[in-house]
Amino acid sequence: MTPRDAQAPSTALLTDRYELTMIDAALRDGTASRRCVFELFGRRLPGARRFGVVAGTGRLLQQLRDFRFGDDELRYLSDHRVVSRETLDFLAGYRFTGTIRGYREGELYFPGSPILIVEGTFAEAVVLETIALSILNHDSAVANAAARMSIAAGDRPLAEMGSRRAAEQSAVAAARAAYIAGFDATSNLEAGRAWGIPTMGTAAHAWTLLHDTEEQAFRSQIDALGTETTLLIDTYDIREGVATAIRVAGTALGGVRIDSGDLPAVAAAVRAQLDDLGATATKITVTSDLDEFAIAALAASPVDSYGVGTSVVTGSGAPTAGMVYKLVARQDAGGGWVAVAKTSTDKGSKGGRKAAFRTLDEGTATSELIVVSDGFEELSPASRHPDARPLLVTLVEQGETDAGYEGAAGVAAARAHHARVREELPVRALALSRSDPALPTVYTDAG
């Protein structure tokens, strides 16, 4: 057993036991080295939504760098007799040396979209199933919800404020996914540090309750942060809170936040009161258990920005994207390629190596075109669909990840890409009601 090369904590045990026991058996029967193609996709869109958003790709690539079995990991597997000594020796030298192609982070997806295509030996590719699914299922679920909220908010800014409603590392990942899908800021400082996301936040109700009076709390906050800050006005009586805020800060107060009540009615009353007091430029932020439907209901209200917590970090009713990771092609004993697929009821998959394209008509998306091949010939619809946009990019080539999709720069690129491709959607895709996917998934043979 040899020490792991990377200094970061290993991610190799973020997996299910059967991944390693399959490798153990495959090493015994000689199939571990067979070349295989695995595909990560969703059979349907969660919550009967009209499109999905790919998120988590950059995080997966980063985790793949640290997918190494060091002494601690190997000792645990040995002590608990998970696999044989021969498999422990194999895992000690494990490095993914294959190729991963997939949809760019921020891209839209539909049922059957080959979001990730992993090519390598069976042993090196099968073990990535759990970590790939855990990251993309979580992050894409958040991005799916965030995109809908972004559509409902229109040009009004959105802030993610859900850290306390998620596990600590899930909160950071959720802030990242929400930012990619259209949110503008996060309250989570680690997300800001790690991913370059703008952060926001001033004070909670505890700040007002700490002081003897609301006025003292407001004066202290203004002294510390200046008049451009946002004051939380609903700890006690909202109307009195507005009056106190303007008396303390003057009409140049940056903003007020409302976190309770019948938000459309309260926002209208607060706006009228601010205007009467001369604070016409003071902005109104609303929070309080918002989701995409509540945001849409506030479209006609005098609200300037939104803060969203629980609903966005939990996928707003669809906490997982429901993606799966399946073997779709393998070499046979003679080295020829064979398409393989499950045929189980309601859980079937479509075998074969695939390429994906989005067909367009004058800039508007019309279908998700999936080209399927039994072999490894070039997969391109260019001659039949000259306006189709290729969706797959190379993320990992012979084990080397493309660093351009990682880190803060990768997040910024994913956010910009999402904004661009969302413009391709037909108008019907922007509705919030439950429906069929906005684009049909069309399969065609490579020939």
Side-chain angles (χ1 to χ4, degrees):
M1 301 180 188
T2 58
R4 209 167 38 85
D5 295 333
Q7 296 301 309
S10 170
T11 59
L13 293 188
L14 298 176
T15 192
D16 290 311
R17 178 171 176 141
Y18 68 33
E19 312 292 4
L20 300 188
T21 55
M22 282 192 288
I23 292 175
D24 197 45
L27 288 170
R28 291 175 183 271
D29 73 9
T31 56
S33 60
R34 281 192 179 181
R35 303 293 297 178
C36 291
V37 179
F38 284 85
E39 184 182 312
L40 184 149
F41 61 96
R43 294 189 178 97
R44 57 192 64 87
L45 296 177
R49 293 171 178 173
R50 302 186 182 210
F51 65 89
V53 181
V54 177
T57 312
R59 289 209 308 122
L60 175 60
L61 296 179
Q62 184 171 302
Q63 297 297 302
L64 183 59
R65 292 182 183 276
D66 299 321
F67 202 91
R68 306 283 188 269
F69 293 85
D71 286 348
D72 289 345
E73 292 76 38
L74 294 168
R75 186 178 300 110
Y76 169 82
L77 296 175
S78 176
D79 290 348
H80 290 80
R81 298 181 181 180
V82 176
V83 293
S84 65
R85 170 57 56 179
E86 292 74 19
T87 301
L88 290 173
D89 290 341
F90 168 83
L91 295 175
Y94 176 87
R95 302 291 184 273
F96 180 74
T97 63
T99 297
I100 300 178
R101 302 176 70 233
Y103 282 33
R104 287 186 58 174
E105 193 161 16
E107 184 61 77
L108 310 180
Y109 74 89
F110 297 89
S113 295
I115 295 166
L116 212 66
I117 298 173
V118 181
E119 301 181 13
T121 66
F122 176 80
E124 68 179 341
V126 72
V127 74
L128 301 181
E129 174 181 4
T130 303
I131 194 167
L133 287 175
S134 64
I135 291 174
L136 269 75
N137 267 322
H138 171 268
D139 290 21
S140 296
V142 174
N144 292 344
R148 288 160 58 85
M149 294 173 194
S150 174
I151 289 169
D155 295 331
R156 296 172 178 176
L158 284 162
E160 181 278 318
M161 305 169 63
S163 294
R164 65 197 67 191
R165 300 292 188 258
E168 63 277 17
Q169 292 305 317
S170 296
V172 179
R176 179 185 182 278
Y179 183 66
I180 286 171
F183 273 55
D184 300 280
T186 179
S187 64
N188 190 291
L189 290 176
E190 180 57 29
R193 181 180 75 137
W195 304 112
I197 304 170
T199 61
M200 49 66 64
T202 51
H205 291 102
W207 176 252
T208 304
L209 296 169
L210 170 68
H211 294 80
D212 293 336
T213 67
E214 188 174 55
E215 181 171 339
Q216 288 178 358
F218 287 176
R219 287 192 183 280
S220 183
Q221 185 174 331
I222 293 295
D223 287 345
L225 301 177
T227 57
E228 65 273 16
T229 192
T230 296
L231 297 176
L232 180 57
I233 57 170
D234 71 337
T235 304
Y236 305 117
D237 178 78
I238 292 178
R239 186 169 181 80
E240 183 59 32
V242 172
T244 302
I246 301 306
R247 184 171 66 251
V248 169
T251 58
L253 176 63
V256 296
R257 178 162 73 94
I258 306 166
D259 190 51
S260 60
D262 179 355
L263 293 179
V266 172
V270 168
R271 180 75 270 161
Q273 186 180 2
L274 288 170
D275 291 347
D276 288 344
L277 293 171
T280 57
T282 299
K283 297 185 181 299
I284 298 174
T285 295
V286 296
T287 50
S288 187
D289 295 325
L290 297 179
D291 60 12
E292 61 265 49
F293 303 105
I295 292 170
L298 287 162
S301 298
V303 172
D304 297 287
S305 62
Y306 306 96
V308 186
T310 303
S311 63
V312 69
V313 301
T314 58
S316 195
T320 176
M323 297 171 182
V324 295
Y325 184 93
K326 298 300 178 185
L327 181 65
V328 295
R330 61 167 174 81
Q331 285 184 320
D332 59 23
W337 281 96
V338 179
V340 295
K342 283 179 63 173
T343 58
S344 309
T345 303
D346 296 327
K347 286 192 173 183
S349 55
K350 193 167 186 64
R353 182 171 174 261
K354 301 178 185 70
F357 304 84
R358 188 149 302 140
T359 59
L360 304 166
D361 181 6
E362 297 184 351
T364 299
T366 56
S367 75
E368 192 84 340
L369 179 65
I370 312 297
V371 184
V372 185
S373 169
D374 288 338
F376 264 43
E377 63 266 24
E378 183 65 25
L379 300 175
S380 172
S383 59
R384 289 167 289 166
H385 301 276
D387 295 328
R389 178 168 66 84
L391 297 173
L392 295 174
V393 298
T394 299
L395 303 168
V396 180
E397 183 72 49
Q398 295 182 339
E400 294 296 321
T401 61
D402 187 332
Y405 296 107
E406 298 182 59
V411 170
R415 175 179 166 85
H417 183 70
H418 176 71
R420 285 195 301 271
V421 299
R422 207 161 80 186
E423 291 296 318
E424 295 175 352
L425 284 171
V427 173
R428 65 180 179 278
L430 306 182
L432 300 179
S433 57
R434 294 170 64 90
S435 181
D436 294 332
L439 301 184
T441 301
V442 179
Y443 292 94
T444 183
D445 293 334

